[in-house]
Amino acid sequence: MRNAITDRERSWSLEPDALEWRDDKGKQGRIPYAAIGSLQLIDYASYGGRIYQCAVERKGGSGVKIRSHSYISLGNFEDRRGTYAPLIRGLAEKVADANPEADFIAGSTGLWIAWTIVGLLAVVMLGFFFASLGAGGPSLNGTLMVVVILLIGGPIIWRQVKYGKAKNFDPRNVPPELIGAD
């Protein structure tokens, strides 16, 4: 997979003692399972649906991100959940076996805070909209903006606020909704 235009395409594999990768130029690397301090699973909305991401962090702090979608070109991503989900399930089990102290985190409190702020701003905008009703009514653009916020943004914001806060998950039974599995 390839995360972005600036990244090389990488192939990931679960070896007996380490997560290994090789890029399209032949460069390779590995992270021993025992050296992994945490796996954090998040998902976010995109034009092509939900994208799932696993942040693999070493005990020392550096790490890599593995995503369910691979960058093809601007605005064009290939859905690779079919190989992503089994890779992340296997990785979580191997890390749990090699490092029982590792953290297995679902969601992101930082993203949750950001979505909560977006939700509050949406409520404020709706307040301005309803306040303008008493002052001669909103413009056509204002009405369209409110419709977009309510119909498109509202459910996305609500989902992220409701489920996005960080919590732990069982690495031996990764919930399918965390990795885009059926």
Side-chain angles (χ1 to χ4, degrees):
M1 54 76 52
R2 183 177 178 195
N3 285 332
I5 193 170
T6 57
D7 293 338
R8 308 280 345 146
E9 184 163 347
R10 287 185 175 177
S11 297
W12 300 90
S13 64
L14 300 176
E15 299 305 323
D17 66 334
L19 171 66
E20 293 187 358
W21 58 267
R22 177 181 300 266
D23 73 18
D24 55 358
K25 295 287 186 184
K27 187 177 177 183
Q28 53 192 16
R30 65 191 325 263
I31 304 173
Y33 302 126
I36 295 174
S38 70
L39 295 182
Q40 182 178 22
L41 304 178
I42 66 167
D43 64 293
Y44 50 90
S46 77
Y47 295 115
R50 301 220 60 82
I51 292 181
Y52 299 85
Q53 174 182 288
C54 177
V56 180
E57 189 170 319
R58 297 173 197 208
K59 291 179 185 176
S62 66
V64 294
K65 292 180 181 169
I66 304 170
R67 293 193 176 109
S68 64
H69 286 58
S70 184
Y71 176 85
I72 304 296
S73 62
L74 287 177
N76 185 16
F77 289 83
E78 180 181 359
D79 183 348
R80 296 190 178 173
R81 284 181 290 172
T83 55
Y84 171 84
L87 176 77
I88 301 307
R89 274 194 187 110
L91 177 60
E93 288 180 12
K94 288 183 177 289
V95 171
D97 290 342
N99 183 9
E101 301 299 315
D103 292 320
F104 298 91
I105 305 160
S108 166
T109 299
L111 283 175
W112 178 79
I113 290 169
W115 278 107
T116 300
I117 291 169
V118 168
L120 292 173
L121 290 173
V123 169
V124 168
M125 288 174 60
L126 288 173
F128 283 130
F129 172 77
F130 288 118
S132 74
L133 291 176
S139 67
L140 178 61
N141 288 340
T143 302
L144 289 174
M145 182 174 61
V146 169
V147 169
V148 168
I149 289 170
L150 290 175
L151 295 180
I152 297 172
I156 293 169
I157 293 168
W158 176 247
R159 180 192 183 281
Q160 293 302 124
V161 170
K162 186 175 177 183
Y163 298 110
K165 197 171 184 181
K167 52 198 162 290
N168 293 326
F169 69 90
D170 179 359
R172 300 193 191 292
N173 188 22
V174 179
E177 64 272 11
L178 295 179
I179 53 176
D182 295 330

